[in-house]
Amino acid sequence: MAIPKVMGIETEYGITVKNQPDFNPILSSLLLINSYETFRSSRVRWDYEAESPLRDARGFEYMEEKEGTSKEESRLINLILSNGARFYVDHAHPEYSSPETTNPRDLVIWDRAGERILNLSRQRAEAVSPPEQRILIYKNNTDNKGNSYGTHENYLMDRKVPFARIVQHMMPFFVSRQVFTGAGKVGAENNADPCDYQISQRADFLETEVGLETMHSRPIINTRDEPHADAERFRRLHVIVGDSNMSEYTNYLKMGTASIVLRMLEEDKGVWRDLTLENPIRAIREISHDITCRRKVRLANGRELSALEIQSEYLTRAQKFAARKGLGEHEARALAMWEHVMAGLESNPLSLNREIDWVIKYHLIEQYRERHGIPLTHPKVALVDLAYHDVNTKRSLFYVLERKGLAERICTDADILDATSNPPQSTRAKLRGAFIKRAKERKRDYTVDWVHLKLNDQAQRTVLCKDPFKSEDERVEKLIACL
């Protein structure tokens, strides 16, 4: 029996400041995050000691020295929010890590809550900045200067599934799924072959098949073995290959289809058709650079298949699996959406102009070009590309389309607003959110991470929450009662 797919997304946002000649992304990110809570009612620390980013899922750990973070630095660059999320500076970017959720709809809601939190932080930071300066924040994956920043998906898995099996069967899936998960992008980067418009923003920046790194030599399959749960039972699959998505439909589809395939890996013991790619790095770029979705890539066995044909293999297996095993409400919806987009891609990829980010943006850019009579290489086109990802709801071109009813919705604005303050109720994020809310009210000093809740008083009371499904816990209730 498969483990229910607890899931989350970590999003690094692009940031710049207009009319600030000495712009420093780290200082600007610090200002942004510290502006979210304009009045600190408590002292909060993130427990870096509990992290193990050098442990590899292939069975070893790199013996590098981890650069320590002082308690004061931790307090300055971290917020752990009452909705269960983490909001902090990751290198030169503000990052929002969603709380744990148990289905793709909740994931969409709490991920979009992150956009609202970033936008509110921007407003508050601009209020204390020189009047001529404007902070710009983008939910995308490239600064168009050769730098990429990530959107990392996380899925809870059964530790019993061999990591080699995950790599074998998820590699072709992740390489080909961009035809419906890509965010779209004008041009190419990172020494990739030139193109006018491509499907994915991350594809040009993937450089290795499997590995531990996330900032250089980026792999398609990341091997970080940091489960944030009982390591004897669980694995956290850390996926760095995907794009940041503005479309709720795309985000739901991305998380829902991956959840179905991972469940199949855990439950379906039959023989899977071998779709191993000859060169996954070359294939991911070739697929991204072909908006017809028809270009074929070579498999290790010499066959050639398009991304649509590869995805059709996975979809057919998922349909058979659903018929045998049954799917829950959210998985069934993801499967229906998968069937819908595959039919659209087979017929005409550009017909999915309400559902899929890269198609929505493509039509937006083409309409702008035609209206102004300019080529795709014009600088103003690059600005349109970027403005699609703006988190400022008044300026963002995606939000303009959404308000006009031109983008499919999964949730409501009321859902998202509620999620900016309140945690999901079906995971341990509920416990974390309740603890943090009370600690802030009582102005107490506390330390947390995804697993630990610690009250920094004389008794140094700590509760270890190793079960991500446990949303009720007497130990946490007693800890909260101490506040």
Side-chain angles (χ1 to χ4, degrees):
M1 190 68 181
I3 291 174
K5 288 293 159 278
V6 171
M7 61 188 74
I9 288 185
E10 309 154 10
T11 303
E12 298 172 5
Y13 285 80
I15 184 170
T16 190
V17 180
K18 191 172 182 179
N19 298 322
Q20 187 183 75
D22 56 346
F23 166 68
N24 182 310
I26 297 176
L27 293 179
S28 296
S29 297
L30 281 170
L31 172 63
L32 184 77
I33 289 164
N34 284 319
S35 295
Y36 181 63
E37 294 186 349
T38 53
F39 173 70
R40 292 294 186 87
S41 57
S42 61
R43 286 171 54 82
V44 55
R45 299 167 187 162
W46 182 261
D47 188 358
Y48 285 95
E49 293 302 318
E51 295 190 348
S52 51
L54 301 180
R55 187 178 300 141
D56 196 292
R58 292 168 290 184
F60 51 86
E61 185 164 357
Y62 289 91
M63 301 306 292
E64 295 180 12
E65 287 291 328
K66 286 197 295 182
E67 187 174 334
T69 303
S70 71
K71 291 181 178 180
E72 284 304 307
E73 288 175 318
S74 173
R75 184 173 67 85
L76 283 171
I77 65 176
N78 272 283
L79 290 181
I80 302 90
L81 308 180
S82 61
N83 74 345
R86 183 185 180 193
F87 186 28
Y88 69 112
V89 179
D90 186 28
H91 301 287
H93 297 273
E95 177 166 326
Y96 172 86
S97 298
S98 76
E100 306 93 323
T101 62
T102 55
N103 61 76
R105 183 178 185 276
D106 282 355
L107 187 282
V108 168
I109 292 170
W110 268 270
D111 179 64
R112 292 215 76 182
E115 297 173 31
R116 305 297 173 86
I117 286 168
L118 266 291
N119 191 41
L120 181 58
S121 300
R122 176 196 61 79
Q123 293 170 344
R124 291 175 174 174
E126 286 183 342
V128 296
S129 300
E132 73 277 7
Q133 293 182 1
R134 190 171 68 212
I135 300 171
L136 304 174
I137 305 167
Y138 301 103
K139 191 185 184 189
N140 70 342
N141 300 105
T142 173
D143 64 358
N144 290 303
K145 298 177 182 178
N147 300 306
S148 179
Y149 31 95
T151 300
H152 300 174
E153 304 152 53
N154 299 280
Y155 303 91
L156 192 74
M157 291 195 67
D158 192 333
R159 175 66 70 170
K160 294 177 184 177
V161 180
F163 191 72
R165 177 173 166 82
I166 296 172
V167 172
Q168 178 186 4
H169 296 301
M170 295 307 294
M171 182 75 72
F173 177 78
F174 286 141
V175 168
S176 58
R177 71 169 187 174
Q178 60 182 299
V179 293
F180 55 76
T181 65
K185 180 181 180 299
V186 174
E189 287 187 88
N190 199 32
N191 299 314
D193 292 338
C195 68
D196 293 330
Y197 184 87
Q198 63 175 303
I199 292 170
S200 168
Q201 296 195 349
R202 282 289 270 182
D204 286 348
F205 294 94
L206 279 301
E207 297 174 322
T208 58
E209 296 177 26
V210 180
L212 188 63
E213 298 294 340
T214 59
M215 295 182 62
H216 58 84
S217 301
R218 294 180 180 91
I220 294 171
I221 302 284
N222 185 254
T223 59
R224 180 178 294 182
D225 189 7
E226 202 174 23
H228 300 324
D230 184 345
E232 297 295 319
R233 298 174 56 199
F234 302 121
R235 179 193 306 282
R236 176 176 64 109
L237 184 62
H238 187 60
V239 180
I240 72 169
V241 70
D243 288 8
S244 291
N245 293 118
M246 300 298 292
S247 164
E248 294 177 358
Y249 191 102
T250 303
N251 227 3
Y252 189 108
L253 187 62
K254 176 172 69 177
M255 305 300 291
T257 54
S259 297
I260 292 171
V261 178
L262 291 173
R263 181 185 164 192
M264 288 160 52
L265 276 179
E266 292 177 339
E267 286 194 44
D268 195 344
K269 305 302 181 184
V271 177
W272 289 50
R273 190 170 185 179
D274 185 10
L275 297 172
T276 303
L277 296 161
E278 180 183 73
N279 187 326
I281 299 304
R282 183 172 64 223
I284 201 169
R285 295 186 182 191
E286 288 176 345
I287 291 169
S288 181
H289 288 206
D290 173 37
I291 65 172
T292 71
C293 303
R294 296 293 190 273
R295 183 168 183 171
K296 294 183 182 293
V297 294
R298 183 175 291 275
L299 306 189
N301 60 15
R303 297 171 63 215
E304 291 190 344
L305 296 176
S306 69
L308 293 183
E309 291 170 325
I310 294 172
Q311 278 296 311
S312 291
E313 293 276 358
Y314 284 98
L315 175 57
T316 299
R317 191 172 189 100
Q319 290 167 330
K320 293 178 179 178
F321 179 82
R324 292 196 319 271
K325 301 280 189 174
L327 298 178
E329 172 191 355
H330 298 287
E331 287 180 327
R333 184 178 185 183
L335 181 62
M337 291 164 65
W338 197 0
E339 292 168 341
H340 169 72
V341 299
M342 286 298 294
L345 291 167
E346 289 282 0
S347 173
N348 175 14
L350 298 182
S351 68
L352 297 168
N353 60 344
R354 294 177 55 86
E355 298 96 336
I356 303 304
D357 265 319
W358 75 263
V359 181
I360 298 171
K361 188 201 288 185
Y362 176 85
H363 285 288
L364 181 70
I365 287 173
E366 287 302 296
Q367 290 165 8
Y368 182 84
R369 286 181 57 231
E370 291 175 10
R371 188 161 60 249
H372 295 278
I374 57 177
L376 201 58
T377 54
H378 196 284
K380 287 186 177 180
V381 172
L383 292 177
V384 172
D385 186 338
L386 189 60
Y388 181 87
H389 301 274
D390 199 327
V391 302
N392 184 332
T393 55
K394 295 181 180 179
R395 290 169 42 87
S396 168
L397 295 183
F398 175 79
Y399 275 100
V400 169
L401 294 173
E402 189 176 77
R403 283 193 294 272
K404 291 181 177 180
L406 299 177
E408 294 290 339
R409 298 295 304 266
I410 295 296
C411 54
T412 67
D413 289 340
D415 292 329
I416 298 168
L417 180 62
D418 182 73
T420 62
S421 302
N422 298 308
Q425 298 297 294
S426 57
T427 68
R428 68 176 172 212
K430 178 182 176 182
L431 303 173
R432 188 184 311 117
F435 174 74
I436 291 168
K437 184 177 181 180
R438 179 64 66 87
K440 289 179 177 179
E441 291 172 350
R442 299 300 174 89
K443 303 181 181 180
R444 300 298 295 272
D445 183 4
Y446 62 96
T447 300
V448 300
D449 60 26
W450 299 114
V451 176
H452 297 83
L453 304 177
K454 181 179 179 181
L455 185 58
N456 295 321
D457 57 6
Q458 192 171 12
Q460 294 286 292
R461 285 163 286 196
T462 303
V463 174
L464 183 62
C465 303
K466 296 176 72 174
D467 187 346
F469 301 103
K470 197 169 185 179
S471 59
E472 304 288 341
D473 193 316
E474 291 183 2
R475 300 170 303 152
V476 178
E477 292 174 6
K478 291 179 181 179
L479 187 66
I480 290 174
C482 296
L483 293 168

